[in-house]
Amino acid sequence: MNRKLAIGLVAALCLLWLPGCATTSYIQKRNTRENPLTASLALVSNRGPHESQRTSQLLERYDLTDEYKKNPNAALLSLCTQDEQSQESERLYAVAELAYIQGQQAQHDGQAVEALHYFQRALASSYAYLFSPTVADNRNPYDPQFRGACDLYNQALEDTLRLLHADGQLQPGKTYQLSSGDKHFTIKTRLDDHWDKQDFAEFDHFEFASDYEIKTLNNRHTTYGLGVPLIAIRKQANNAAPMEKYYPDMLSFACTALLQCSWNGELGPDGKPAPQCELVFYNPMRRSRTEFAGRTIPLETDITTPLAYFLDNKQFHDKDIATLGLLKPTKVQNKQGLFMLEAYDPKRIPVTMVHGLWSSPMTWMDMFNDLRSFPEVRERYQFWFYLYPTGQPFWISAVQMRKDMKDLQETIDQHYHGHDANTMEQMVLVGHSMGGLVSRLQTLDSGNDFWKIVSEKSIDELNASDEDQARLASTLFFRPNPSVSRVITIGTPHHGSDYSNSTTQWLGRRFIKLPAFLTNISTRLIRDNPDYFRDTQLLTTNTSIDSLAPDSPIFPVMMRAQKKSPVKYHNVVGLVSSKSLIGRIKTDSDGVVERESAELPDAVSQIFVEAQHTEIHTKPAAILEVRRILMEHAKEIDSRDRVASVPYPRSAVEPVSVTLSDSVGPEDAPLEIAIPLVPDGQEEPAMMR
């Protein structure tokens, strides 16, 4: 095959398995920050910001129109001293609006101290509009002005925080004094109690969500209320922290800053009553509202922009990692494993997402973003992600996942003694494409069925080192993970894929460079045992593309293997019409996996989604189906008097003793399988760094 044809076939393979080979950009800096007051106050007009028509009418009512044109600050002070009670809420709103406009003008002129003074006045007046008992009788939440007051409060607070942030003062735990005219404020800052203090003890710095625009994720999930949505970048903790290796560097998460004030009788420096204020940093993933001033206050939140900010970090660009994982699996070994994008919560059920061929965990971000936007989902579930090198046969990846899951379980058991064990025992796996096969293998009991694919003889008769014997045994003898309760497979080739054919297999063997220890073991075993193996196909399957061949002997064994009881399977099948991609796909397939192969006979539910293979898990129909299954799962758990027992003890995820039958070895001859997954001298697989 000439070089030109080979390059063309590589390009074709890329089109088949990936939505695109270009690097993804998840977020973009805005030229001008997002501000709901931009239109109503003409903040970016040529003649500068100016008051709304309603505030202009109020200035006219108090005969302050001309004075405002000549001396805005004098008019503002005059408006503050008016004593007509019937228009109190209107005046408070006008003061907040005019002060905000003057703050914007001062900031434009480079007068930061003056701008801070005006923003604080706008903040105080809008806060009084929303919460002061003196205007309770004429405060109308159905009036558009009420939402305008919320926007004024939020934007005045954001501009105040921006000025403080520029001076490096925006950090939880600090206390500082602010003055606004004749009013003095003491402001303390703190983290809300819903942050996990053990894992997220400190922020490195903040970014403002309004500065960024989403580029790649399908949906941006926000809620309306009070507060300033922030992007909080986590400070890397001591590496000795128990869960630290499961959190990627530069992890960012959603945060909402809210200023809450009260008057408790304390006097300020001027001898007048001084409000005591707290700037609270809330975790919107754990709570969407708060209580203060005798009322329930919804938080203004943005949970998508912080996610996109993190994903846009160049070290996590999925195509780079995905390509390395396929073509050079060794390069990903020090990054493979489980990782989390929020603090581990012992009270929520884990959902572990497993990507497919030539992919990475970033392929799940649309589903992750949408699922956690449902309060009922994020209240009950936490999402984990599994990264593995996809160039190797999928059953090797399943072996490594078993070990990684075991290590995480041991860490949790050791450091979270008070955790709810039931949540770990109700884990849900969600696998796309080849990841569905890796996931299903976590729930199967090998018995002797997988061993019989390669030999009828006892493993004790194998001429091999203890290490080579253990590696082979770890692949073919295994028990189900007792923590896994459900598996959702999406676009999975349960019977193999026709796109694993002689051409793509040739390409795979030519371009995929597997770790030497994998290929060397197979070579040694076959060479040193010439009459031992009846079928060496599993041993000589060098790449993941080979492993997906429809004639692979592992697929029928997987279908009839005993599964963990009462694990449940759910299946999502992609179908596209041949009209949408003429000449590239067949009817009754998703473009890569035939319908006949994608269907799962023992699934308790199965739906069909009109989508190409690489996009099934990003489609609303598939995401809503996963949500339905998760809610069904939670409902079943809640309906039980106690969590059903599992057929295997938790220790089953540790190295196991397997008693082989007479057909493969002497009766009652236990084989202790200690599974070293990396060659001696290599670094233990770690989390994404």
Side-chain angles (χ1 to χ4, degrees):
M1 181 177 293
N2 62 43
R3 179 177 176 82
K4 184 176 181 181
L5 179 58
I7 293 174
L9 286 170
V10 170
L13 189 64
C14 180
L15 289 173
L16 288 173
W17 291 95
L18 287 178
C21 292
T23 299
T24 300
S25 176
Y26 288 91
I27 204 168
Q28 177 176 297
K29 193 77 176 281
R30 297 177 184 271
N31 294 326
T32 303
R33 92 174 201 229
E34 186 179 41
N35 188 333
L37 299 173
T38 297
S40 61
L41 302 184
L43 297 180
V44 294
S45 67
N46 292 332
R47 68 185 184 94
H50 55 269
E51 71 280 5
S52 64
Q53 182 179 3
R54 193 160 171 175
T55 295
S56 180
Q57 290 177 350
L58 186 130
L59 288 171
E60 182 70 27
R61 180 183 300 125
Y62 286 105
D63 195 24
L64 293 172
T65 301
D66 291 338
E67 184 173 6
Y68 182 72
K69 292 178 180 178
K70 298 175 183 178
N71 190 339
N73 187 52
L76 181 58
L77 293 175
S78 178
L79 191 61
C80 290
T81 59
Q82 296 290 331
D83 59 358
E84 183 181 342
Q85 296 300 311
S86 62
Q87 298 294 332
E88 185 66 22
S89 62
E90 290 278 352
R91 287 194 302 110
L92 284 172
Y93 182 89
V95 169
E97 183 179 291
L98 296 175
Y100 185 76
I101 290 172
Q102 293 306 308
Q104 286 283 313
Q105 190 63 55
Q107 193 170 36
H108 179 269
D109 296 338
Q111 301 173 351
V113 175
E114 190 73 8
L116 186 60
H117 163 79
Y118 281 117
F119 290 141
Q120 290 169 45
R121 184 176 290 279
L123 190 59
S125 295
S126 57
Y127 188 95
Y129 178 100
L130 294 169
F131 299 109
S132 174
T134 63
V135 296
D137 292 340
N138 59 6
R139 180 169 48 229
N140 180 6
Y142 299 99
D143 188 339
Q145 191 182 74
F146 185 90
R147 180 60 224 181
C150 295
D151 291 336
L152 280 168
Y153 171 85
N154 290 344
Q155 298 310 308
L157 177 57
E158 177 164 339
D159 280 287
T160 299
L161 295 182
R162 285 176 180 272
L163 291 170
L164 294 174
H165 185 255
D167 290 338
Q169 298 185 58
L170 190 57
Q171 284 291 338
K174 291 200 172 193
T175 300
Y176 44 92
Q177 305 289 330
L178 294 178
S179 297
S180 177
D182 60 348
K183 294 182 173 60
H184 300 275
F185 300 86
T186 298
I187 297 182
K188 299 179 180 180
T189 61
R190 68 174 176 87
L191 288 175
D192 174 53
D193 293 337
H194 286 72
W195 292 103
D196 187 300
K197 303 302 191 298
Q198 178 175 350
D199 290 320
F200 294 118
E202 294 185 71
F203 298 120
D204 182 75
H205 66 280
F206 292 100
E207 298 284 343
F208 292 87
S210 59
D211 282 337
Y212 296 93
E213 179 181 5
I214 304 297
K215 296 295 293 182
T216 300
L217 296 173
N218 289 336
N219 299 305
R220 179 186 175 197
H221 297 292
T222 61
T223 62
Y224 295 98
L226 293 183
V228 178
L230 298 172
I231 303 169
I233 291 82
R234 175 177 178 261
K235 181 178 290 186
Q236 202 72 13
N238 188 321
N239 287 333
M243 302 296 289
E244 186 60 28
K245 66 179 180 178
Y246 299 107
Y247 303 129
D249 292 345
M250 301 302 292
L251 179 58
S252 59
F253 37 91
C255 179
T256 295
L258 183 64
L259 188 66
Q260 304 170 193
C261 299
S262 63
W263 282 259
N264 56 14
E266 293 187 19
L267 301 180
D270 57 359
K272 297 181 179 180
Q276 302 301 308
C277 299
E278 270 194 328
L279 181 64
V280 184
F281 296 88
Y282 286 98
N283 181 355
M285 296 306 302
R286 301 289 182 87
R287 63 188 305 177
S288 59
R289 58 192 65 244
T290 186
E291 304 283 338
F292 73 94
R295 291 160 56 187
T296 298
I297 308 300
L299 296 175
E300 185 105 350
T301 70
D302 181 343
I303 66 172
T304 301
T305 302
L307 173 63
Y309 182 90
F310 165 72
L311 297 178
D312 207 56
N313 191 312
K314 288 185 172 28
Q315 64 179 317
F316 301 122
H317 278 166
D318 58 331
K319 301 303 183 295
D320 298 333
I321 294 175
T323 300
L324 280 176
L326 175 71
L327 301 181
K328 298 181 179 180
T330 305
K331 300 291 187 180
V332 181
Q333 278 190 334
N334 65 340
K335 298 179 180 180
Q336 76 173 53
L338 288 148
F339 69 94
M340 307 173 185
L341 300 187
E342 55 186 2
Y344 169 70
D345 184 351
K347 297 181 180 178
R348 291 188 291 165
I349 302 167
V351 177
T352 302
M353 296 180 155
V354 187
H355 62 83
L357 179 69
W358 206 340
S359 187
S360 80
M362 305 313 166
T363 192
W364 292 110
M365 292 304 124
D366 272 310
M367 178 177 285
F368 171 56
N369 179 47
D370 287 353
L371 285 176
R372 70 179 188 158
S373 71
F374 296 104
E376 66 273 17
V377 172
R378 64 175 182 258
E379 179 183 350
R380 298 300 302 272
Y381 292 96
Q382 58 189 317
F383 294 87
W384 302 347
F385 303 90
Y386 190 64
L387 171 68
Y388 65 98
T390 65
Q392 62 193 12
F394 66 84
W395 48 81
I396 301 298
S397 299
V399 173
Q400 294 172 336
M401 185 175 178
R402 287 189 202 104
K403 181 182 182 299
D404 291 332
M405 295 286 284
K406 169 184 171 288
D407 291 344
L408 174 58
Q409 179 69 65
E410 289 179 346
T411 300
I412 291 173
D413 287 343
Q414 181 178 357
H415 297 282
Y416 290 86
H417 303 294
H419 78 282
D420 184 355
N422 292 343
T423 60
M424 280 298 297
E425 293 174 357
Q426 300 298 336
M427 183 186 299
V428 179
L429 302 184
V430 185
H432 172 243
S433 189
M434 188 171 71
L437 300 174
V438 176
S439 298
R440 283 192 65 222
L441 279 170
Q442 307 305 308
T443 67
L444 299 180
D445 190 332
S446 67
N448 294 324
D449 293 340
F450 289 81
W451 176 255
K452 289 180 179 179
I453 295 175
V454 300
S455 180
E456 288 287 351
K457 298 181 180 180
S458 167
I459 196 170
D460 289 338
E461 300 176 36
L462 184 68
N463 180 23
S465 67
D466 291 343
E467 182 180 354
D468 285 356
Q469 187 181 78
R471 290 185 188 278
L472 179 62
S474 69
T475 305
L476 300 173
F477 293 102
F478 48 84
R479 291 181 178 176
N481 186 325
S483 296
V484 179
S485 183
R486 287 180 194 255
V487 176
I488 305 171
T489 51
I490 303 175
T492 296
H494 294 290
H495 304 274
S497 172
D498 287 338
Y499 278 101
S500 175
N501 51 47
S502 59
T503 301
T504 57
Q505 290 170 15
W506 179 89
L507 282 169
R509 294 165 195 155
R510 183 176 179 85
F511 290 101
I512 296 174
K513 304 301 180 184
L514 288 178
F517 78 92
L518 286 179
T519 55
N520 291 342
I521 289 174
S522 298
T523 301
R524 285 196 302 270
L525 290 175
I526 296 172
R527 181 197 64 201
D528 297 342
N529 297 271
D531 299 319
Y532 183 85
F533 299 105
R534 70 174 187 181
D535 187 340
T536 60
Q537 184 172 344
L538 290 188
L539 301 181
T540 57
T541 298
N542 289 329
T543 72
S544 54
I545 297 176
D546 288 336
S547 73
L548 295 172
D551 61 354
S552 173
I554 199 171
F555 290 115
V557 175
M558 285 182 65
M559 281 298 171
R560 64 174 182 264
Q562 179 183 353
K563 67 179 181 180
K564 172 201 167 188
S565 178
V567 69
K568 294 182 178 180
Y569 297 139
H570 302 267
N571 196 35
V572 177
V573 179
L575 294 177
V576 286
S577 168
S578 57
K579 296 179 181 178
S580 62
L581 290 170
I582 297 177
R584 281 226 295 128
I585 62 175
K586 301 176 182 179
T587 306
D588 283 348
S589 86
D590 61 15
V592 173
V593 181
E594 299 290 321
R595 172 174 178 167
E596 183 178 357
S597 177
E599 291 189 312
L600 187 60
D602 55 349
V604 297
S605 71
Q606 181 167 276
I607 69 165
F608 298 88
V609 175
E610 185 176 350
Q612 299 176 42
H613 179 77
T614 56
E615 299 176 349
I616 306 170
H617 55 304
T618 69
K619 296 298 183 181
I623 296 172
L624 289 173
E625 173 66 1
V626 173
R627 172 180 175 267
R628 182 197 68 78
I629 294 167
L630 294 180
M631 290 298 95
E632 176 183 293
H633 187 53
K635 185 177 180 180
E636 287 187 10
I637 294 171
D638 292 341
S639 67
R640 299 170 188 166
D641 293 331
R642 59 184 180 84
V643 177
S645 61
V646 294
Y648 298 100
R650 186 172 299 281
S651 59
V653 297
E654 302 173 355
V656 296
S657 294
V658 181
T659 301
L660 306 179
S661 68
D662 291 337
S663 61
V664 293
E667 187 175 0
D668 298 327
L671 170 65
E672 185 70 12
I673 304 172
I675 309 172
L677 290 182
V678 294
D680 293 339
Q682 285 196 14
E683 182 183 359
E684 185 73 6
M687 290 301 91
M688 185 183 294
R689 294 295 183 191

